[in-house]
């Protein structure tokens, strides 16, 4: 598959920072263990090629979409479609989609769903994880079983649909939040962290007369910032990416989240229904090319993930592994 | 209630005992324990309630698979359910006679098998490859780049593939300019299985490697040193130390994948079903969607969903049992 993707045309500009990893070295790397033999040149070159292809397979599409979204009509016509070499900086596509119309509204809806949903999910998941973090409390085993059983038995699509519509959530943005608000996987990850908080800390707080909620907010949470950040990202990404539930439950155009709008533009081939007003800015072409507008929508859809991601990334391994190992 | 409620001082099997204070609770009455623990119960209650409504209630609702469910015999689904006619296994008989259903089953199983061979091993290889890169900077950079697509929605992933490999995409563009007839992989039903696998690899290859990387870092480095001192080369060390070290994780993920054999992803197929046609792109989940919700055959759709859930549960229990037989830890020996 890497071969296919990297075959996606010659790569005129190496995507921004993608340097070729690890050229063959003469001198030993200081981190190389003493017992390991010195690296063989063909093997090192092979690794370098594979890693470069992998990185290119991710970065080249992102680059092409970004450059095309900022290209003018002339540049797009010259390239015959997607643009790889930036020639100018033409933000008219972005001005168009953010001057009202479907995309602007969809970005608002998605932002609302993401913010409200992540808040609801995090609060409820943290509370439940804390409530389940003390073996020996009343009904602990039964309650834990109740939560973990969701891994084994699933509701089907049809009954879920009937329950959501039966509750009157059809065409409400709550239908994008409540059915998926609790991820038991995330709950288990947080719970594993909470159970590692030294019990001496909790006991001393209890002796000082702190209630459970106070212990949670003052002692346990500050010690678990990393895992909360990772789980918060998981939830936020889930809400931002919601697509199928919107197909199922949302009927009115003015409540479509961004993924639904992106799908209708790119995959279903509708032409972007933006406000239609010409762009009145000096040096900016009126009516930006459709392809640039479409690519601008793609960029807008990608951006939240790309922005939050670096802050949370270093905690990934910790979060994912605790979930997988500790269950 | 009380049977499960008796205080359990054993730590759950498989977990090292956490250093908690010794429990005096065994002799305390339920009432006094309730007085102590009610805040914990109250904290778990909202999440439990949401799961009750949106997970367990629909799970119970699967019994409409045994009904000729008609939404118009009541003002709401509950009333309609109470007034609908019970028809026993009628829906299942109709389902098993439906050739479209078997098409969907066959597609689903082919895709699972294909991905087991061409996707499953890749994250393991990537993890071993990354682990062998000595420079921390290079490793960190590659990792942050290849994890990223995991956070893209399926709409985005398919969009990227369309823009790169589709009929109006970058590849077709370059081929046209070079004087070749462009081929369009996005609408070709014959290569659809390769396409969906490529998309899945692009999205989750890096993410899938995380768990293997962690397992690799847990392998005792002294083993490598001792093996090297005994003259084992890098390939022998890979075969005799690295792969055995990864085995429990590989088995665990394999079980989980097998238990999920009947789900190959949902949005990915809904999004591309129109482009390549039903014959290639109909999987069980899309079958349920198009049979039940688009054409309003609720009972039939519920029957297909229930069939899928039951087979999935049976598969995962069997796979886990087999793993235990083979002396592996499996998925849930833990609690």
């Amino acid at each position: 598959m890497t071969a296919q993707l990297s075959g996606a045309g010659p790569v005129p500009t190496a995507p921004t920072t993608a340097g070729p990893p690890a050229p063959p070295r003469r001198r030993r790397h200081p981190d190389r263990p003493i017992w390991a033999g010195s690296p063989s040149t063909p093997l090192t070159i092979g690794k370098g090629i594979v890693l470069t292809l992998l990185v290119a397979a991710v970065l080249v599409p992102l680059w092409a979409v970004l450059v095309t979204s900022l290209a003018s009509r002339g540049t797009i016509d010259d390239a015959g479609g997607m643009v790889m070499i930036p020639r100018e900086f033409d933000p008219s596509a972005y001005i168009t989609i953010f001057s009202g119309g479907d995309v602007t509204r969809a970005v608002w809806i998605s932002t609302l769903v993401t913010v409200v949903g992540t808040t609801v999910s995090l609060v409820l998941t943290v509370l439940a994880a804390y409530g389940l973090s003390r073996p020996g409390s009343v009904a602990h085993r039964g309650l834990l079983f109740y939560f973990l059983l969701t891994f084994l038995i699933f509701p089907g699509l049809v009954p879920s649909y009937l329950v959501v519509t039966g509750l009157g959530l059809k065409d409400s943005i709550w239908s994008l939040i409540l059915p998926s608000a609790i991820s038991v996987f995330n709950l288990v990850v947080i719970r594993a962290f909470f159970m590692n908080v030294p019990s001496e800390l909790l006991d001393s707080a209890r002796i000082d007369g702190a209630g459970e909620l106070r212990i949670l907010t003052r002692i346990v949470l500050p010690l678990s910032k990393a895992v909360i950040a990772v789980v918060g990202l998981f939830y936020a990404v889930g809400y931002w990416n919601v697509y199928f539930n919107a197909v199922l439950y949302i009927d009115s155009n003015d409540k479509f989240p961004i993924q639904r709008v992106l799908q209708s533009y790119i995959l279903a081939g509708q032409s972007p229904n933006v406000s239609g007003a010409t762009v009145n800015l000096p040096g900016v072409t009126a009516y930006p090319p459709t392809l640039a507008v479409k690519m601008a929508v793609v960029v807008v859809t990608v951006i939240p993930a790309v922005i939050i991601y670096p802050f949370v990334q270093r905690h990934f391994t910790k979060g994912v592994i605790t979930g997988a190992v500790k269950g | 209630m009380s049977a499960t409620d008796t205080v359990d001082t054993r730590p759950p099997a498989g977990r090292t005992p956490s250093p908690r204070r010794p429990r005096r609770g065994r002799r305390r009455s339920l009432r006094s324990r309730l007085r102590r623990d009610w805040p914990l119960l109250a904290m778990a209650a909202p999440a439990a309630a949401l799961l009750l409504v949106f997970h367990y209630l629909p799970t119970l609702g699967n019994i409409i698979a045994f009904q000729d469910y008609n939404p118009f015999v009541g003002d709401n689904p509950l009333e309609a359910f109470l007034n609908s006619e019970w028809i026993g296994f009628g829906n299942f008989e109709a389902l098993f006679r439906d050739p479209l259903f078997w098409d969907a089953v066959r597609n689903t199983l082919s895709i699972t098998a294909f991905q087991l061979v061409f996707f499953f091993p890749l994250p393991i290889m990537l993890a071993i490859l990354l682990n062998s890169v000595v420079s921390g900077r290079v490793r960190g950079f590659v990792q942050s780049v290849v994890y990223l697509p995991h956070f893209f929605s399926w709409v985005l992933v398919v969009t990227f593939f369309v823009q790169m490999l589709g009929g109006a995409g970058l590849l077709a563009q370059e081929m046209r300019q070079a004087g070749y007839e462009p081929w369009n992989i996005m609408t070709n039903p014959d290569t659809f299985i390769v396409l969906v696998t490529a998309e899945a690899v692009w999205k989750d290859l890096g993410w899938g490697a995380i768990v293997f990387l962690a397992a690799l870092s847990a392998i005792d480095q002294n083993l490598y040193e001792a093996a090297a001192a005994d003259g084992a080369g890098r390939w022998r060390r890979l075969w005799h130390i690295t792969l055995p070290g990864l085995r429990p994780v590989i088995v665990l993920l394999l079980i989980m994948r097998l238990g999920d054999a009947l789900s190959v992803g949902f949005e990915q197929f809904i999004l591309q079903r129109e482009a390549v046609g039903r014959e290639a792109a109909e999987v069980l989940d899309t079958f349920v969607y198009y049979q039940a919700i688009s054409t309003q055959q609720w009972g039939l759709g519920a029957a297909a969903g229930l069939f899928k859930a039951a087979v999935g549960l049976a598969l995962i229990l069997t796979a886990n049992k087999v793993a235990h037989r083979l002396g592996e830890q499996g998925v849930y020996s833990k609690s």
Side-chain angles (χ1 to χ4, degrees):
Chain A
M1 112 112 202
T2 45
Q4 267 174 29
L5 275 187
S6 58
V11 185
T13 43
T16 49
T17 44
R25 286 162 200 278
R26 282 286 118 79
R27 282 200 285 145
R28 286 181 75 85
H29 193 283
D31 292 346
R32 180 174 288 279
I34 308 157
W35 46 263
S38 42
S40 82
T41 312
L43 199 63
T44 313
I45 294 176
K47 280 185 200 169
I49 292 176
V50 171
L51 292 181
T52 313
L53 288 179
L54 283 177
V55 168
V58 174
L59 291 187
V60 168
L62 286 176
W63 171 256
V65 164
L66 179 65
V67 172
T68 309
S69 76
L70 290 168
S72 69
R73 186 178 299 277
T75 314
I76 288 179
D77 287 347
D78 287 349
M82 301 296 288
V83 183
M84 288 300 294
I85 308 158
R87 231 195 273 165
E88 71 274 283
F89 185 85
D90 181 352
S92 57
Y94 291 91
I95 296 172
T96 310
I97 60 173
F98 279 118
S99 55
D102 283 355
V103 181
T104 319
R105 200 169 40 221
V107 168
W108 276 117
I109 296 283
S110 278
T111 309
L112 186 70
V113 168
T114 306
V115 171
V116 175
T118 308
T119 311
V120 169
S121 291
L122 262 187
V123 169
L124 295 189
T125 310
V126 163
L127 284 176
Y130 185 76
L132 286 169
S133 68
R134 200 149 334 133
S137 60
V138 173
H140 174 261
R141 281 175 70 84
L143 212 49
L144 192 60
F145 180 75
Y146 173 89
F147 278 91
L148 292 182
L149 190 63
T150 57
F151 283 132
L152 282 183
I153 60 171
F154 312 97
L157 178 63
V158 174
S160 300
Y161 178 85
L162 294 177
V163 165
V164 172
T165 48
L167 290 171
L169 296 179
K170 182 108 171 139
D171 210 24
S172 148
I173 67 162
W174 288 104
S175 67
L176 307 180
I177 296 177
L178 292 179
S180 51
I182 303 295
S183 148
V184 178
F185 177 82
N186 288 343
L187 193 155
V188 167
V189 171
I190 298 184
R191 173 177 176 266
F193 256 71
F194 286 179
M195 292 181 76
N196 279 342
V197 174
S199 58
E200 291 77 14
L201 275 179
L202 308 185
D203 284 343
S204 62
R206 211 163 285 131
I207 290 166
D208 291 345
E212 298 291 354
L213 201 59
R214 213 179 161 78
I215 296 177
L216 172 63
T217 51
R218 292 294 161 81
I219 298 175
V220 177
L221 276 186
L223 290 171
S224 318
K225 277 182 199 144
V227 71
I228 303 294
V230 173
V231 167
L233 173 80
F234 288 168
Y235 274 131
V237 166
Y239 285 117
W240 182 260
N241 286 347
V242 67
Y243 167 71
F244 184 64
N245 277 354
V247 174
L248 274 183
Y249 301 129
I250 303 290
D251 299 324
S252 5
N253 287 5
D254 59 353
K255 288 178 192 151
F256 279 173
I258 186 74
Q259 309 287 343
R260 183 83 174 72
V261 171
L262 178 67
Q263 184 269 342
S264 66
Y265 287 174
I266 307 258
L267 304 175
Q270 280 177 29
S271 42
N273 166 23
V274 280
S275 67
T278 47
V279 183
N280 291 317
L281 279 174
V284 171
T285 42
Y287 294 124
T290 317
L291 184 62
V293 174
K294 285 181 175 178
M295 292 307 107
V297 181
V298 178
V299 173
V300 168
T301 317
V302 171
I303 268 180
V306 179
I307 290 181
I308 315 178
Y309 172 78
F311 297 102
V312 187
Q313 193 224 338
R314 59 204 165 97
H315 304 304
F316 278 165
T317 318
K318 227 171 166 185
V320 174
I321 299 315
T322 355
V325 178
K326 286 240 164 153
Chain B
M1 241 186 114
S2 59
T4 48
D5 285 352
T6 43
V7 179
D8 183 12
T9 47
R10 298 177 284 129
R15 193 185 289 134
T16 48
S18 49
R20 288 188 180 274
R21 71 200 155 109
R23 304 254 159 230
R24 294 171 298 126
R26 194 170 279 283
R27 262 173 240 105
R28 294 170 74 165
S29 69
L30 182 62
R31 179 190 293 261
S32 78
R33 288 171 57 220
L34 257 180
R35 196 177 306 127
R36 184 192 65 190
D37 290 337
W38 71 265
L40 297 176
L41 293 177
M43 286 168 154
L50 273 181
L51 287 183
L52 181 69
V53 174
F54 292 105
H55 196 101
Y56 287 114
L57 184 60
T59 306
L60 282 179
N62 269 316
I63 52 174
I64 69 162
F66 302 98
Q67 276 191 330
D68 181 16
Y69 179 81
N70 179 355
F72 302 111
V73 294
D75 291 335
N76 55 54
L78 182 64
E79 229 173 85
F81 161 71
L82 293 174
N83 293 336
S84 287
E85 192 191 342
W86 292 92
I87 55 168
F89 286 89
N91 286 320
F92 290 91
E93 280 164 26
L95 183 69
F96 295 148
R97 269 200 311 271
D98 189 345
L100 297 185
F101 170 72
W102 293 111
D103 281 355
V105 170
R106 198 170 43 244
N107 280 340
T108 310
L109 290 179
S110 329
I111 292 169
T112 296
F114 191 85
Q115 296 196 344
L116 220 44
V117 177
F118 292 100
F119 182 8
F120 189 80
L122 295 183
I124 306 174
M125 294 182 200
L126 176 64
I128 292 173
L129 175 60
L130 281 175
N131 202 48
S132 77
V133 173
V134 178
S135 155
R137 276 226 314 274
V138 172
R139 200 170 50 220
F141 172 71
V142 175
Q143 274 173 300
S144 17
V145 172
V146 295
Y147 292 168
L148 187 59
H150 174 76
F151 296 97
F152 295 167
S153 65
W154 276 114
V155 182
L156 266 178
V157 173
V158 175
T159 297
F160 279 121
F161 270 73
V162 166
Q163 293 304 327
M164 292 297 114
L165 308 177
L170 195 60
L171 177 65
Q173 219 168 285
E174 299 294 335
M175 285 176 81
R176 228 173 270 130
Q177 275 167 13
Y180 295 104
E181 184 64 25
W183 38 274
N184 186 356
I185 189 182
M186 300 304 296
T187 53
N188 186 346
D190 299 330
T191 53
F192 183 66
I193 197 169
V194 181
L195 174 70
V196 288
T197 307
E199 288 166 352
V201 170
W202 190 75
K203 191 177 196 285
D204 279 327
L205 170 64
W207 192 252
I210 292 187
V211 67
F212 295 111
L213 278 170
L216 283 174
S217 68
I219 295 178
D220 185 357
Q221 294 300 308
N222 291 328
L223 291 177
Y224 287 107
E225 192 168 351
D230 288 347
R234 64 168 61 85
W235 299 110
R236 290 193 76 105
R237 293 199 295 265
L238 177 70
W239 184 253
H240 290 292
I241 300 173
T242 309
L243 287 181
L246 289 179
R247 205 173 73 153
V249 184
I250 295 178
V251 170
L252 179 89
L253 292 182
L254 207 53
I255 295 174
M256 284 162 64
R257 186 69 197 86
L258 284 179
D260 252 2
L262 293 185
S263 10
V264 286
F266 199 172
E267 297 192 349
Q268 196 187 359
F269 294 89
I270 291 269
L271 286 166
Q272 300 181 88
R273 189 173 176 273
E274 235 161 83
V276 297
R278 184 195 62 75
E279 280 81 10
E282 190 86 297
V283 292
L284 262 178
D285 285 320
T286 56
F287 174 84
V288 173
Y289 173 66
Y290 283 100
Q291 282 311 305
I293 291 173
S294 298
T295 59
Q296 311 265 318
Q297 302 186 50
W298 305 97
L300 192 72
L306 191 56
F307 169 81
K308 183 183 163 238
V311 173
L313 181 60
L315 278 176
I316 199 155
L317 293 178
T318 315
N320 202 49
K321 186 149 279 178
V322 171
H324 282 304
R325 283 276 157 74
L326 296 176
E328 299 288 345
Q329 209 188 358
V331 184
Y332 31 78
S333 49
K334 48 200 176 187
S335 58

